[in-house]
Short mmCIF file of all heavy atoms in Angstrom, two decimals:
data_model
loop_
_atom_site.label_atom_id
_atom_site.label_comp_id
_atom_site.label_asym_id
_atom_site.label_seq_id
_atom_site.Cartn_x
_atom_site.Cartn_y
_atom_site.Cartn_z
N MET A 1 0.82 -1.20 0.00
CA MET A 1 0.00 0.00 0.00
C MET A 1 0.87 1.26 0.00
O MET A 1 1.85 1.34 0.72
CB MET A 1 -0.90 0.02 1.24
CG MET A 1 -2.00 -1.03 1.20
SD MET A 1 -3.15 -0.78 -0.18
CE MET A 1 -4.03 -2.33 -0.09
N THR A 2 0.49 2.23 -0.77
CA THR A 2 1.20 3.51 -0.78
C THR A 2 0.37 4.56 -0.05
O THR A 2 -0.40 4.23 0.84
CB THR A 2 1.49 3.94 -2.23
OG1 THR A 2 0.28 3.96 -2.96
CG2 THR A 2 2.45 2.99 -2.89
N THR A 3 0.51 5.77 -0.43
CA THR A 3 -0.19 6.86 0.24
C THR A 3 -1.71 6.66 0.20
O THR A 3 -2.27 6.41 -0.85
CB THR A 3 0.15 8.20 -0.43
OG1 THR A 3 1.54 8.23 -0.70
CG2 THR A 3 -0.22 9.36 0.48
N ALA A 4 -2.33 6.78 1.35
CA ALA A 4 -3.78 6.61 1.41
C ALA A 4 -4.49 7.90 1.00
O ALA A 4 -4.23 8.95 1.55
CB ALA A 4 -4.19 6.22 2.81
N VAL A 5 -5.35 7.78 0.04
CA VAL A 5 -6.17 8.92 -0.36
C VAL A 5 -7.59 8.66 0.08
O VAL A 5 -8.22 7.69 -0.33
CB VAL A 5 -6.13 9.12 -1.89
CG1 VAL A 5 -7.02 10.29 -2.29
CG2 VAL A 5 -4.69 9.35 -2.34
N ALA A 6 -8.10 9.49 0.94
CA ALA A 6 -9.37 9.25 1.61
C ALA A 6 -10.51 9.00 0.63
O ALA A 6 -11.35 8.15 0.87
CB ALA A 6 -9.71 10.41 2.52
N GLN A 7 -10.54 9.74 -0.45
CA GLN A 7 -11.74 9.73 -1.28
C GLN A 7 -12.03 8.40 -1.96
O GLN A 7 -13.18 7.98 -2.00
CB GLN A 7 -11.63 10.83 -2.34
CG GLN A 7 -12.59 11.96 -2.02
CD GLN A 7 -12.51 13.07 -3.03
OE1 GLN A 7 -11.56 13.14 -3.82
NE2 GLN A 7 -13.48 13.94 -3.04
N SER A 8 -11.00 7.74 -2.48
CA SER A 8 -11.28 6.53 -3.24
C SER A 8 -10.75 5.28 -2.56
O SER A 8 -10.63 4.24 -3.18
CB SER A 8 -10.68 6.66 -4.64
OG SER A 8 -9.31 6.94 -4.55
N THR A 9 -10.42 5.38 -1.28
CA THR A 9 -9.92 4.23 -0.55
C THR A 9 -11.03 3.19 -0.40
O THR A 9 -12.12 3.52 0.04
CB THR A 9 -9.44 4.64 0.85
OG1 THR A 9 -8.52 5.71 0.73
CG2 THR A 9 -8.78 3.48 1.56
N PRO A 10 -10.74 1.96 -0.78
CA PRO A 10 -11.77 0.92 -0.60
C PRO A 10 -12.09 0.73 0.88
O PRO A 10 -11.22 0.92 1.73
CB PRO A 10 -11.11 -0.34 -1.17
CG PRO A 10 -9.97 0.16 -1.98
CD PRO A 10 -9.52 1.45 -1.38
N LEU A 11 -13.30 0.34 1.15
CA LEU A 11 -13.68 0.04 2.52
C LEU A 11 -13.04 -1.28 2.93
O LEU A 11 -12.84 -2.16 2.11
CB LEU A 11 -15.20 -0.06 2.62
CG LEU A 11 -15.92 1.28 2.43
CD1 LEU A 11 -17.39 1.05 2.13
CD2 LEU A 11 -15.77 2.15 3.65
N SER A 12 -12.73 -1.40 4.21
CA SER A 12 -12.11 -2.63 4.70
C SER A 12 -12.80 -3.07 5.98
O SER A 12 -13.74 -2.44 6.45
CB SER A 12 -10.62 -2.39 4.95
OG SER A 12 -10.45 -1.60 6.10
N ALA A 13 -12.28 -4.15 6.54
CA ALA A 13 -12.90 -4.73 7.73
C ALA A 13 -12.83 -3.81 8.94
O ALA A 13 -13.57 -3.99 9.90
CB ALA A 13 -12.24 -6.06 8.06
N VAL A 14 -11.94 -2.82 8.90
CA VAL A 14 -11.84 -1.91 10.05
C VAL A 14 -12.83 -0.76 9.96
O VAL A 14 -12.99 -0.01 10.90
CB VAL A 14 -10.40 -1.35 10.20
CG1 VAL A 14 -9.42 -2.48 10.45
CG2 VAL A 14 -10.01 -0.52 9.01
N ASP A 15 -13.48 -0.63 8.79
CA ASP A 15 -14.51 0.41 8.65
C ASP A 15 -15.82 -0.12 9.18
O ASP A 15 -16.31 -1.16 8.73
CB ASP A 15 -14.66 0.80 7.17
CG ASP A 15 -13.43 1.53 6.67
OD1 ASP A 15 -13.04 2.51 7.33
OD2 ASP A 15 -12.88 1.12 5.64
N ARG A 16 -16.38 0.59 10.15
CA ARG A 16 -17.56 0.10 10.87
C ARG A 16 -18.74 1.03 10.70
O ARG A 16 -18.59 2.25 10.69
CB ARG A 16 -17.23 -0.04 12.35
CG ARG A 16 -16.18 -1.09 12.64
CD ARG A 16 -16.74 -2.48 12.49
NE ARG A 16 -15.69 -3.47 12.20
CZ ARG A 16 -15.94 -4.77 12.11
NH1 ARG A 16 -17.14 -5.24 12.29
NH2 ARG A 16 -14.97 -5.60 11.82
N CYS A 17 -19.92 0.45 10.65
CA CYS A 17 -21.17 1.19 10.55
C CYS A 17 -21.30 2.14 11.74
O CYS A 17 -21.09 1.74 12.89
CB CYS A 17 -22.34 0.22 10.52
SG CYS A 17 -23.95 1.00 10.54
N ASP A 18 -21.66 3.40 11.46
CA ASP A 18 -21.82 4.37 12.54
C ASP A 18 -23.06 4.08 13.39
O ASP A 18 -23.20 4.59 14.49
CB ASP A 18 -21.95 5.78 11.95
CG ASP A 18 -20.61 6.28 11.42
OD1 ASP A 18 -19.58 5.93 12.02
OD2 ASP A 18 -20.62 7.02 10.43
N ARG A 19 -23.95 3.27 12.88
CA ARG A 19 -25.19 2.98 13.60
C ARG A 19 -25.08 1.75 14.49
O ARG A 19 -25.53 1.74 15.62
CB ARG A 19 -26.34 2.78 12.60
CG ARG A 19 -26.76 4.04 11.88
CD ARG A 19 -27.45 5.01 12.81
NE ARG A 19 -27.81 6.24 12.11
CZ ARG A 19 -27.00 7.28 12.02
NH1 ARG A 19 -25.81 7.25 12.55
NH2 ARG A 19 -27.39 8.36 11.36
N CYS A 20 -24.48 0.68 13.98
CA CYS A 20 -24.52 -0.58 14.73
C CYS A 20 -23.14 -1.22 14.91
O CYS A 20 -23.02 -2.18 15.66
CB CYS A 20 -25.47 -1.56 14.04
SG CYS A 20 -24.85 -2.15 12.45
N GLY A 21 -22.11 -0.71 14.26
CA GLY A 21 -20.78 -1.26 14.46
C GLY A 21 -20.44 -2.46 13.58
O GLY A 21 -19.37 -3.02 13.69
N ALA A 22 -21.37 -2.85 12.72
CA ALA A 22 -21.07 -3.93 11.78
C ALA A 22 -20.12 -3.42 10.70
O ALA A 22 -19.89 -2.22 10.58
CB ALA A 22 -22.36 -4.43 11.14
N GLN A 23 -19.57 -4.34 9.92
CA GLN A 23 -18.65 -3.92 8.87
C GLN A 23 -19.36 -3.01 7.87
O GLN A 23 -20.47 -3.30 7.44
CB GLN A 23 -18.08 -5.14 8.15
CG GLN A 23 -17.03 -4.74 7.10
CD GLN A 23 -16.28 -5.93 6.55
OE1 GLN A 23 -16.30 -7.01 7.12
NE2 GLN A 23 -15.60 -5.73 5.44
N ALA A 24 -18.71 -1.91 7.52
CA ALA A 24 -19.32 -0.92 6.64
C ALA A 24 -19.10 -1.28 5.17
O ALA A 24 -18.03 -1.72 4.78
CB ALA A 24 -18.73 0.45 6.93
N TYR A 25 -20.15 -1.09 4.39
CA TYR A 25 -20.07 -1.32 2.94
C TYR A 25 -20.46 -0.07 2.16
O TYR A 25 -20.48 -0.09 0.93
CB TYR A 25 -20.95 -2.49 2.53
CG TYR A 25 -20.36 -3.82 2.92
CD1 TYR A 25 -20.70 -4.43 4.12
CD2 TYR A 25 -19.42 -4.45 2.11
CE1 TYR A 25 -20.14 -5.64 4.49
CE2 TYR A 25 -18.85 -5.65 2.48
CZ TYR A 25 -19.22 -6.24 3.67
OH TYR A 25 -18.65 -7.43 4.05
N LEU A 26 -20.78 1.00 2.89
CA LEU A 26 -21.18 2.23 2.22
C LEU A 26 -20.51 3.40 2.92
O LEU A 26 -20.63 3.56 4.14
CB LEU A 26 -22.70 2.40 2.30
CG LEU A 26 -23.31 3.39 1.31
CD1 LEU A 26 -23.47 2.73 -0.06
CD2 LEU A 26 -24.65 3.89 1.79
N ARG A 27 -19.76 4.21 2.17
CA ARG A 27 -19.18 5.42 2.73
C ARG A 27 -19.89 6.62 2.11
O ARG A 27 -19.95 6.75 0.90
CB ARG A 27 -17.68 5.51 2.45
CG ARG A 27 -17.08 6.77 3.08
CD ARG A 27 -15.72 7.14 2.50
NE ARG A 27 -14.69 6.20 2.91
CZ ARG A 27 -13.96 5.47 2.04
NH1 ARG A 27 -14.18 5.56 0.77
NH2 ARG A 27 -13.05 4.64 2.49
N VAL A 28 -20.42 7.47 2.97
CA VAL A 28 -21.16 8.63 2.52
C VAL A 28 -20.35 9.89 2.80
O VAL A 28 -20.05 10.18 3.96
CB VAL A 28 -22.52 8.73 3.23
CG1 VAL A 28 -23.30 9.94 2.74
CG2 VAL A 28 -23.32 7.46 3.02
N GLU A 29 -19.97 10.58 1.75
CA GLU A 29 -19.30 11.86 1.94
C GLU A 29 -20.36 12.95 1.94
O GLU A 29 -21.09 13.13 0.96
CB GLU A 29 -18.28 12.08 0.82
CG GLU A 29 -17.14 11.08 0.88
CD GLU A 29 -16.31 11.07 -0.41
OE1 GLU A 29 -16.37 12.06 -1.16
OE2 GLU A 29 -15.63 10.06 -0.67
N LEU A 30 -20.46 13.64 3.05
CA LEU A 30 -21.53 14.62 3.22
C LEU A 30 -21.22 15.90 2.46
O LEU A 30 -20.08 16.36 2.44
CB LEU A 30 -21.70 14.93 4.71
CG LEU A 30 -22.01 13.71 5.59
CD1 LEU A 30 -22.02 14.12 7.05
CD2 LEU A 30 -23.34 13.10 5.20
N SER A 31 -22.26 16.50 1.91
CA SER A 31 -22.08 17.78 1.23
C SER A 31 -21.67 18.86 2.22
O SER A 31 -21.05 19.85 1.87
CB SER A 31 -23.36 18.18 0.49
OG SER A 31 -24.48 18.04 1.34
N ALA A 32 -22.01 18.66 3.49
CA ALA A 32 -21.64 19.62 4.53
C ALA A 32 -20.24 19.37 5.07
O ALA A 32 -19.74 20.12 5.91
CB ALA A 32 -22.64 19.54 5.68
N GLY A 33 -19.59 18.29 4.62
CA GLY A 33 -18.26 17.94 5.10
C GLY A 33 -18.33 16.74 6.03
O GLY A 33 -19.34 16.51 6.68
N GLY A 34 -17.24 15.99 6.07
CA GLY A 34 -17.22 14.80 6.89
C GLY A 34 -17.79 13.61 6.14
O GLY A 34 -18.19 13.71 4.98
N GLU A 35 -17.83 12.47 6.82
CA GLU A 35 -18.35 11.28 6.17
C GLU A 35 -18.99 10.36 7.19
O GLU A 35 -18.73 10.43 8.39
CB GLU A 35 -17.24 10.54 5.42
CG GLU A 35 -16.11 10.03 6.31
CD GLU A 35 -15.05 9.30 5.51
OE1 GLU A 35 -14.82 9.65 4.35
OE2 GLU A 35 -14.46 8.35 6.07
N LEU A 36 -19.86 9.51 6.68
CA LEU A 36 -20.54 8.52 7.51
C LEU A 36 -20.31 7.15 6.89
O LEU A 36 -20.17 7.03 5.68
CB LEU A 36 -22.04 8.80 7.57
CG LEU A 36 -22.48 10.10 8.26
CD1 LEU A 36 -23.97 10.30 8.05
CD2 LEU A 36 -22.16 10.05 9.75
N LEU A 37 -20.32 6.13 7.76
CA LEU A 37 -20.18 4.76 7.28
C LEU A 37 -21.44 3.98 7.64
O LEU A 37 -21.98 4.14 8.74
CB LEU A 37 -18.95 4.10 7.90
CG LEU A 37 -17.61 4.74 7.57
CD1 LEU A 37 -16.50 4.11 8.42
CD2 LEU A 37 -17.29 4.57 6.10
N PHE A 38 -21.87 3.13 6.73
CA PHE A 38 -23.05 2.31 6.98
C PHE A 38 -22.80 0.87 6.57
O PHE A 38 -22.17 0.61 5.55
CB PHE A 38 -24.26 2.84 6.19
CG PHE A 38 -24.74 4.18 6.65
CD1 PHE A 38 -24.34 5.33 5.99
CD2 PHE A 38 -25.60 4.31 7.74
CE1 PHE A 38 -24.77 6.59 6.41
CE2 PHE A 38 -26.03 5.55 8.16
CZ PHE A 38 -25.63 6.70 7.50
N CYS A 39 -23.35 -0.06 7.33
CA CYS A 39 -23.37 -1.45 6.91
C CYS A 39 -24.43 -1.59 5.81
O CYS A 39 -25.20 -0.66 5.56
CB CYS A 39 -23.69 -2.36 8.09
SG CYS A 39 -25.36 -2.14 8.75
N ALA A 40 -24.51 -2.75 5.19
CA ALA A 40 -25.46 -2.94 4.10
C ALA A 40 -26.89 -2.77 4.60
O ALA A 40 -27.74 -2.22 3.90
CB ALA A 40 -25.27 -4.33 3.48
N HIS A 41 -27.15 -3.25 5.81
CA HIS A 41 -28.49 -3.15 6.38
C HIS A 41 -28.92 -1.69 6.52
O HIS A 41 -29.99 -1.30 6.07
CB HIS A 41 -28.52 -3.85 7.74
CG HIS A 41 -29.79 -3.63 8.50
ND1 HIS A 41 -30.92 -4.39 8.28
CD2 HIS A 41 -30.12 -2.72 9.45
CE1 HIS A 41 -31.88 -3.95 9.09
NE2 HIS A 41 -31.43 -2.94 9.80
N HIS A 42 -28.07 -0.88 7.14
CA HIS A 42 -28.42 0.51 7.36
C HIS A 42 -28.31 1.34 6.08
O HIS A 42 -28.96 2.36 5.94
CB HIS A 42 -27.56 1.09 8.48
CG HIS A 42 -28.03 0.65 9.84
ND1 HIS A 42 -27.29 -0.18 10.65
CD2 HIS A 42 -29.19 0.90 10.49
CE1 HIS A 42 -27.99 -0.41 11.75
NE2 HIS A 42 -29.14 0.22 11.68
N ALA A 43 -27.47 0.90 5.15
CA ALA A 43 -27.42 1.57 3.85
C ALA A 43 -28.77 1.47 3.16
O ALA A 43 -29.26 2.43 2.56
CB ALA A 43 -26.34 0.93 2.98
N ARG A 44 -29.39 0.28 3.27
CA ARG A 44 -30.72 0.10 2.69
C ARG A 44 -31.77 0.88 3.47
O ARG A 44 -32.62 1.55 2.90
CB ARG A 44 -31.09 -1.39 2.71
CG ARG A 44 -30.82 -2.08 1.38
CD ARG A 44 -31.56 -3.41 1.31
NE ARG A 44 -31.19 -4.29 2.42
CZ ARG A 44 -30.15 -5.11 2.41
NH1 ARG A 44 -29.39 -5.18 1.35
NH2 ARG A 44 -29.88 -5.87 3.44
N GLU A 45 -31.68 0.80 4.80
CA GLU A 45 -32.69 1.43 5.65
C GLU A 45 -32.71 2.94 5.48
O GLU A 45 -33.77 3.56 5.48
CB GLU A 45 -32.41 1.05 7.11
CG GLU A 45 -33.51 1.48 8.05
CD GLU A 45 -33.28 0.94 9.46
OE1 GLU A 45 -33.04 -0.27 9.58
OE2 GLU A 45 -33.33 1.73 10.41
N HIS A 46 -31.53 3.54 5.34
CA HIS A 46 -31.45 5.00 5.26
C HIS A 46 -31.14 5.48 3.84
O HIS A 46 -30.72 6.62 3.65
CB HIS A 46 -30.37 5.51 6.22
CG HIS A 46 -30.62 5.15 7.66
ND1 HIS A 46 -31.70 5.65 8.36
CD2 HIS A 46 -29.96 4.33 8.50
CE1 HIS A 46 -31.67 5.15 9.59
NE2 HIS A 46 -30.64 4.34 9.70
N GLY A 47 -31.33 4.61 2.87
CA GLY A 47 -30.93 4.90 1.51
C GLY A 47 -31.41 6.24 0.97
O GLY A 47 -30.63 7.01 0.42
N ASP A 48 -32.68 6.54 1.15
CA ASP A 48 -33.23 7.79 0.62
C ASP A 48 -32.60 9.00 1.31
O ASP A 48 -32.22 9.97 0.67
CB ASP A 48 -34.75 7.82 0.81
CG ASP A 48 -35.44 6.81 -0.08
OD1 ASP A 48 -34.79 6.33 -1.04
OD2 ASP A 48 -36.60 6.49 0.19
N LYS A 49 -32.51 8.92 2.63
CA LYS A 49 -31.94 10.02 3.41
C LYS A 49 -30.48 10.24 3.06
O LYS A 49 -30.01 11.37 2.91
CB LYS A 49 -32.08 9.69 4.91
CG LYS A 49 -31.73 10.85 5.81
CD LYS A 49 -32.79 11.95 5.71
CE LYS A 49 -32.45 13.10 6.66
NZ LYS A 49 -33.41 14.22 6.50
N ILE A 50 -29.77 9.14 2.90
CA ILE A 50 -28.35 9.21 2.57
C ILE A 50 -28.13 9.99 1.29
O ILE A 50 -27.27 10.87 1.21
CB ILE A 50 -27.75 7.79 2.44
CG1 ILE A 50 -27.60 7.17 3.84
CG2 ILE A 50 -26.40 7.84 1.75
CD1 ILE A 50 -27.28 5.69 3.82
N ARG A 51 -28.94 9.70 0.29
CA ARG A 51 -28.76 10.37 -0.99
C ARG A 51 -29.18 11.84 -0.94
O ARG A 51 -28.76 12.64 -1.77
CB ARG A 51 -29.50 9.60 -2.08
CG ARG A 51 -28.65 8.44 -2.57
CD ARG A 51 -29.45 7.32 -3.20
NE ARG A 51 -28.54 6.22 -3.58
CZ ARG A 51 -28.08 5.30 -2.73
NH1 ARG A 51 -28.44 5.34 -1.47
NH2 ARG A 51 -27.27 4.35 -3.14
N GLU A 52 -29.99 12.19 0.05
CA GLU A 52 -30.36 13.60 0.24
C GLU A 52 -29.19 14.43 0.75
O GLU A 52 -29.00 15.58 0.36
CB GLU A 52 -31.50 13.71 1.27
CG GLU A 52 -32.88 13.63 0.66
CD GLU A 52 -33.95 13.72 1.75
OE1 GLU A 52 -33.74 14.47 2.73
OE2 GLU A 52 -34.97 13.03 1.62
N ILE A 53 -28.42 13.84 1.68
CA ILE A 53 -27.39 14.61 2.37
C ILE A 53 -26.00 14.37 1.81
O ILE A 53 -25.06 15.06 2.18
CB ILE A 53 -27.39 14.30 3.89
CG1 ILE A 53 -27.05 12.83 4.12
CG2 ILE A 53 -28.73 14.66 4.51
CD1 ILE A 53 -26.88 12.46 5.59
N ALA A 54 -25.87 13.42 0.91
CA ALA A 54 -24.54 13.02 0.45
C ALA A 54 -24.07 13.84 -0.73
O ALA A 54 -24.85 14.16 -1.64
CB ALA A 54 -24.55 11.54 0.07
N ALA A 55 -22.78 14.16 -0.71
CA ALA A 55 -22.15 14.75 -1.88
C ALA A 55 -21.69 13.63 -2.80
O ALA A 55 -21.71 13.74 -4.02
CB ALA A 55 -20.96 15.62 -1.47
N HIS A 56 -21.28 12.53 -2.17
CA HIS A 56 -20.82 11.37 -2.93
C HIS A 56 -21.02 10.12 -2.10
O HIS A 56 -20.84 10.14 -0.89
CB HIS A 56 -19.33 11.52 -3.28
CG HIS A 56 -18.78 10.34 -4.03
ND1 HIS A 56 -19.08 10.10 -5.36
CD2 HIS A 56 -17.99 9.33 -3.63
CE1 HIS A 56 -18.47 8.99 -5.73
NE2 HIS A 56 -17.81 8.49 -4.72
N VAL A 57 -21.41 9.03 -2.74
CA VAL A 57 -21.61 7.78 -2.04
C VAL A 57 -20.69 6.72 -2.64
O VAL A 57 -20.70 6.47 -3.84
CB VAL A 57 -23.07 7.30 -2.13
CG1 VAL A 57 -23.23 5.94 -1.47
CG2 VAL A 57 -24.00 8.31 -1.49
N HIS A 58 -19.88 6.13 -1.78
CA HIS A 58 -19.00 5.03 -2.20
C HIS A 58 -19.68 3.74 -1.77
O HIS A 58 -19.74 3.42 -0.58
CB HIS A 58 -17.62 5.21 -1.55
CG HIS A 58 -16.64 4.13 -1.91
ND1 HIS A 58 -16.02 4.06 -3.12
CD2 HIS A 58 -16.20 3.06 -1.20
CE1 HIS A 58 -15.22 3.00 -3.15
NE2 HIS A 58 -15.31 2.37 -2.00
N ASP A 59 -20.19 3.00 -2.73
CA ASP A 59 -21.05 1.85 -2.43
C ASP A 59 -20.33 0.54 -2.73
O ASP A 59 -19.98 0.27 -3.87
CB ASP A 59 -22.32 1.96 -3.28
CG ASP A 59 -23.35 0.91 -2.90
OD1 ASP A 59 -23.01 -0.06 -2.20
OD2 ASP A 59 -24.50 1.07 -3.32
N GLU A 60 -20.12 -0.26 -1.71
CA GLU A 60 -19.51 -1.58 -1.91
C GLU A 60 -20.46 -2.69 -1.46
O GLU A 60 -20.03 -3.81 -1.17
CB GLU A 60 -18.18 -1.68 -1.15
CG GLU A 60 -17.12 -0.76 -1.72
CD GLU A 60 -15.74 -1.00 -1.11
OE1 GLU A 60 -15.55 -2.03 -0.46
OE2 GLU A 60 -14.87 -0.14 -1.30
N THR A 61 -21.73 -2.39 -1.38
CA THR A 61 -22.68 -3.40 -0.93
C THR A 61 -22.75 -4.58 -1.89
O THR A 61 -23.16 -5.67 -1.50
CB THR A 61 -24.09 -2.81 -0.76
OG1 THR A 61 -24.47 -2.15 -1.97
CG2 THR A 61 -24.13 -1.80 0.38
N HIS A 62 -22.33 -4.36 -3.13
CA HIS A 62 -22.33 -5.46 -4.10
C HIS A 62 -21.38 -6.58 -3.69
O HIS A 62 -21.52 -7.71 -4.11
CB HIS A 62 -21.96 -4.94 -5.49
CG HIS A 62 -20.60 -4.31 -5.53
ND1 HIS A 62 -20.38 -2.99 -5.20
CD2 HIS A 62 -19.39 -4.83 -5.83
CE1 HIS A 62 -19.09 -2.73 -5.33
NE2 HIS A 62 -18.46 -3.82 -5.69
N ARG A 63 -20.37 -6.21 -2.87
CA ARG A 63 -19.39 -7.22 -2.44
C ARG A 63 -20.05 -8.29 -1.58
O ARG A 63 -19.57 -9.42 -1.50
CB ARG A 63 -18.26 -6.55 -1.66
CG ARG A 63 -17.30 -5.79 -2.54
CD ARG A 63 -16.37 -4.94 -1.71
NE ARG A 63 -15.72 -5.72 -0.65
CZ ARG A 63 -15.22 -5.20 0.46
NH1 ARG A 63 -15.33 -3.92 0.68
NH2 ARG A 63 -14.65 -5.95 1.35
N LEU A 64 -21.14 -7.94 -0.92
CA LEU A 64 -21.84 -8.90 -0.08
C LEU A 64 -22.37 -10.06 -0.88
O LEU A 64 -22.41 -11.19 -0.42
CB LEU A 64 -23.00 -8.21 0.64
CG LEU A 64 -22.62 -7.37 1.85
CD1 LEU A 64 -23.85 -6.68 2.39
CD2 LEU A 64 -21.99 -8.23 2.93
N ALA A 65 -22.78 -9.80 -2.10
CA ALA A 65 -23.39 -10.83 -2.94
C ALA A 65 -22.41 -11.95 -3.25
O ALA A 65 -22.81 -13.09 -3.45
CB ALA A 65 -23.90 -10.20 -4.23
N SER A 66 -21.11 -11.63 -3.27
CA SER A 66 -20.13 -12.65 -3.61
C SER A 66 -19.43 -13.20 -2.38
O SER A 66 -18.48 -13.93 -2.47
CB SER A 66 -19.10 -12.07 -4.58
OG SER A 66 -18.50 -10.92 -4.02
N THR A 67 -19.90 -12.81 -1.21
CA THR A 67 -19.31 -13.28 0.03
C THR A 67 -20.21 -14.33 0.67
O THR A 67 -21.39 -14.09 0.86
CB THR A 67 -19.13 -12.12 1.03
OG1 THR A 67 -18.39 -11.10 0.40
CG2 THR A 67 -18.41 -12.58 2.28
N PRO A 68 -19.66 -15.48 1.00
CA PRO A 68 -20.48 -16.51 1.67
C PRO A 68 -21.10 -15.96 2.95
O PRO A 68 -20.41 -15.41 3.78
CB PRO A 68 -19.47 -17.61 1.99
CG PRO A 68 -18.35 -17.39 1.04
CD PRO A 68 -18.30 -15.91 0.77
N ALA A 69 -22.39 -16.12 3.09
CA ALA A 69 -23.10 -15.54 4.22
C ALA A 69 -22.73 -16.20 5.53
O ALA A 69 -22.94 -15.65 6.60
CB ALA A 69 -24.61 -15.64 3.99
N ALA A 70 -22.19 -17.41 5.46
CA ALA A 70 -21.92 -18.17 6.67
C ALA A 70 -20.63 -17.74 7.38
O ALA A 70 -20.40 -18.12 8.51
CB ALA A 70 -21.84 -19.65 6.35
N VAL A 71 -19.81 -16.94 6.72
CA VAL A 71 -18.55 -16.52 7.33
C VAL A 71 -18.82 -15.54 8.46
O VAL A 71 -19.42 -14.51 8.26
CB VAL A 71 -17.63 -15.85 6.28
CG1 VAL A 71 -16.37 -15.32 6.96
CG2 VAL A 71 -17.27 -16.84 5.19
N PRO A 72 -18.40 -15.88 9.66
CA PRO A 72 -18.63 -14.98 10.80
C PRO A 72 -17.78 -13.72 10.69
O PRO A 72 -16.64 -13.77 10.26
CB PRO A 72 -18.22 -15.83 12.00
CG PRO A 72 -17.28 -16.84 11.47
CD PRO A 72 -17.68 -17.09 10.04
N ASP A 73 -18.34 -12.59 11.08
CA ASP A 73 -17.64 -11.32 11.01
C ASP A 73 -16.94 -11.06 12.35
O ASP A 73 -17.34 -10.23 13.14
CB ASP A 73 -18.64 -10.22 10.70
CG ASP A 73 -17.92 -8.88 10.52
OD1 ASP A 73 -16.73 -8.89 10.18
OD2 ASP A 73 -18.56 -7.85 10.76
N SER A 74 -15.88 -11.82 12.59
CA SER A 74 -15.19 -11.72 13.87
C SER A 74 -14.01 -10.77 13.77
O SER A 74 -13.71 -10.25 12.70
CB SER A 74 -14.70 -13.10 14.31
OG SER A 74 -13.82 -13.62 13.35
N GLU A 75 -13.33 -10.55 14.86
CA GLU A 75 -12.14 -9.70 14.84
C GLU A 75 -11.00 -10.46 14.20
O GLU A 75 -10.31 -11.22 14.84
CB GLU A 75 -11.76 -9.32 16.29
CG GLU A 75 -12.79 -8.50 16.99
CD GLU A 75 -12.84 -7.08 16.47
OE1 GLU A 75 -11.82 -6.60 15.93
OE2 GLU A 75 -13.89 -6.45 16.61
N HIS A 76 -10.82 -10.27 12.92
CA HIS A 76 -9.80 -10.96 12.16
C HIS A 76 -9.93 -12.46 12.32
O HIS A 76 -9.07 -13.11 12.84
CB HIS A 76 -8.40 -10.50 12.61
CG HIS A 76 -7.82 -9.50 11.66
ND1 HIS A 76 -6.51 -9.48 11.26
CD2 HIS A 76 -8.39 -8.49 11.06
CE1 HIS A 76 -6.31 -8.48 10.44
NE2 HIS A 76 -7.43 -7.85 10.32
ZN1 ZN B 1 -25.46 -0.80 10.65
#
């Protein structure tokens, strides 16, 4: 890994949903500044609101479709 650039950095296991602490699959860059992270569940639940307040949405929820659901989301 080289220099980390915040804007296009892929989400990883250390990125956690601001609502429930699950692994985040959606990064919302707010038009007012700052960013929020959401798991797939909360990304769906707050989808409309997110798009209202977001300047940009980095969506990786598609990665869930190719991930076996049975894998536990433990600490490494
Ligand atoms: Zn969540």
Side-chain angles (χ1 to χ4, degrees):
M1 290 298 169
T2 54
T3 317
V5 178
Q7 252 179 345
S8 55
T9 307
L11 291 163
S12 73
V14 299
D15 291 308
R16 295 287 156 175
C17 175
D18 287 327
R19 291 290 178 271
C20 69
Q23 184 170 344
Y25 286 94
L26 198 81
R27 181 197 289 120
V28 180
E29 294 166 21
L30 303 174
S31 47
E35 62 180 32
L36 295 172
L37 298 172
F38 293 97
C39 66
H41 171 84
H42 283 113
R44 263 196 303 274
E45 189 173 310
H46 300 295
D48 291 343
K49 189 70 178 176
I50 287 169
R51 278 156 183 80
E52 271 179 36
I53 63 174
H56 178 74
V57 176
H58 180 76
D59 188 345
E60 293 189 14
T61 53
H62 60 274
R63 285 169 52 203
L64 282 176
S66 56
T67 305
V71 175
D73 184 25
S74 60
E75 296 288 335
H76 260 221

